[in-house]
Amino acid sequence: MNKEEFIKRVKEDLNITLTKEMLTKLDFYAAFLIEYNKHTNLTALKTLEEIYLKHFYDSLTLIKTINLSSINTLCDVGTGAGFPGLVLKIVFNNLNVTLIDSNNKKIKFLEELVKKLELNGASVINMRSEDYAKENKEKFDVVTARAVTTLPVLIELCLPLVKENGYFIPLKGNAEDEINISKNILGILNGAIEDIYKFVLPEENSTRTIIKIKKNSKTPEGYPRSYDKIKKSLKKYLK
């Protein structure tokens, strides 16, 4: 997907009109990512066309589930090189975005990029998500994550961060099996799936699933647990 196709599909598919300022920042983002990736492994995608489709367009599909123009705080867990959180910040400047990742090399990239783009309201945190969640329960209107880990594990890492009546909205590929084994942990953490959006990514034609999970009440004490405990108890979710 070249830049012109990206602009067209974002308008037609997502009803987003990209301004000159947004496009200038996205252009810089893509170029900086490609250059930085030559010495530090941030992404497997090497071309502008791949970045516009699989990073930029894919990140913006979150708008299918919620009106981001009316949201104040958003947290992106396991953000990697800033997807989807930093792309959402560039297009929806009203958002106060927190980007979390435990990979120090990716965090350094993000810190430098945020500074170069002069983005206010974008915080970069180098921390394990479960540790951050223990200290920041019920903090964000929306929490998202893209291709981080299996859904039941992701729910325990992310849902505690969400405010009551807020949303955790993970971006996944084909997620039917993961959804089926997430019922137990959703019940424990007072969450419920409100909607599931399935679509096909343009050009590549791969399956995408966006899961809109509402948090109905506060996180119970003791959650999230350590990552090792979460992984060990995954078998229980299969019951």
Side-chain angles (χ1 to χ4, degrees):
M1 177 180 283
N2 62 33
K3 181 179 176 180
E4 290 69 30
E5 291 166 340
F6 168 70
I7 295 169
K8 182 173 181 285
R9 293 306 296 260
V10 165
K11 174 62 177 176
E12 292 179 354
D13 301 347
L14 308 177
N15 197 29
I16 297 172
T17 301
L18 296 167
T19 66
K20 183 178 179 180
E21 181 181 2
M22 293 171 190
L23 289 167
T24 297
K25 288 180 177 178
L26 289 172
D27 286 344
F28 184 89
Y29 193 164
F32 188 63
L33 177 63
I34 290 172
E35 187 62 30
Y36 206 97
N37 204 52
K38 291 178 181 178
H39 59 78
T40 303
N41 184 26
L42 300 172
T43 176
L45 306 184
K46 307 295 183 183
T47 68
L48 282 173
E49 288 77 13
E50 289 177 314
I51 291 169
Y52 274 110
L53 174 62
K54 298 181 184 179
H55 282 331
F56 292 173
Y57 179 93
D58 198 24
S59 292
L60 290 172
T61 59
L62 189 74
I63 194 66
K64 288 177 175 284
T65 68
I66 196 163
N67 179 10
L68 291 173
S69 297
S70 65
I71 299 299
N72 181 21
T73 55
L74 180 143
C75 180
D76 180 11
V77 173
T79 188
F83 309 114
L86 197 55
V87 179
L88 296 174
K89 172 61 184 175
I90 289 170
V91 176
F92 298 93
N93 192 46
N94 57 287
L95 292 173
N96 288 290
V97 171
T98 300
L99 309 170
I100 301 173
D101 205 282
S102 60
N103 185 312
N104 188 52
K105 291 181 180 179
K106 292 177 180 178
I107 288 296
K108 287 183 177 179
F109 164 78
L110 288 173
E111 288 174 340
E112 193 170 344
L113 179 59
V114 166
K115 185 176 180 180
K116 287 180 180 294
L117 291 175
E118 298 181 343
L119 292 175
N120 295 318
S123 302
V124 182
I125 307 294
N126 186 194
M127 199 170 182
R128 291 187 63 86
S129 55
E130 65 270 27
D131 295 332
Y132 184 80
K134 288 174 185 176
E135 300 174 8
N136 294 276
K137 288 185 180 181
E138 283 80 46
K139 183 175 181 178
F140 298 96
D141 298 318
V142 173
V143 176
T144 188
R146 190 183 77 146
V148 177
T149 185
T150 189
L151 186 58
V153 175
L154 203 54
I155 288 169
E156 184 165 342
L157 295 175
C158 296
L159 200 57
L161 289 164
V162 181
K163 292 179 181 178
E164 287 185 79
N165 298 312
Y167 290 94
F168 170 45
I169 310 177
L171 281 63
K172 305 286 289 183
N174 194 335
E176 286 186 19
D177 291 340
E178 292 185 35
I179 291 170
N180 289 334
I181 64 173
S182 297
K183 295 176 182 178
N184 188 21
I185 192 61
L186 275 173
I188 292 171
L189 296 182
N190 305 316
I193 295 176
E194 188 171 283
D195 218 333
I196 298 171
Y197 298 78
K198 293 183 179 180
F199 62 99
V200 174
L201 195 67
E203 298 187 9
E204 188 187 67
N205 295 321
S206 57
T207 300
R208 291 291 189 270
T209 307
I210 306 177
I211 307 153
K212 189 176 185 181
I213 300 171
K214 186 173 183 179
K215 183 170 180 175
N216 295 314
S217 56
K218 288 185 177 181
T219 302
E221 289 297 321
Y223 289 89
R225 297 164 294 173
S226 70
Y227 190 77
D228 288 342
K229 287 184 178 179
I230 296 172
K231 293 288 285 186
K232 286 178 181 178
S233 66
L234 181 59
K235 292 181 181 179
K236 295 180 183 179
Y237 303 153
L238 299 172
K239 296 181 180 179

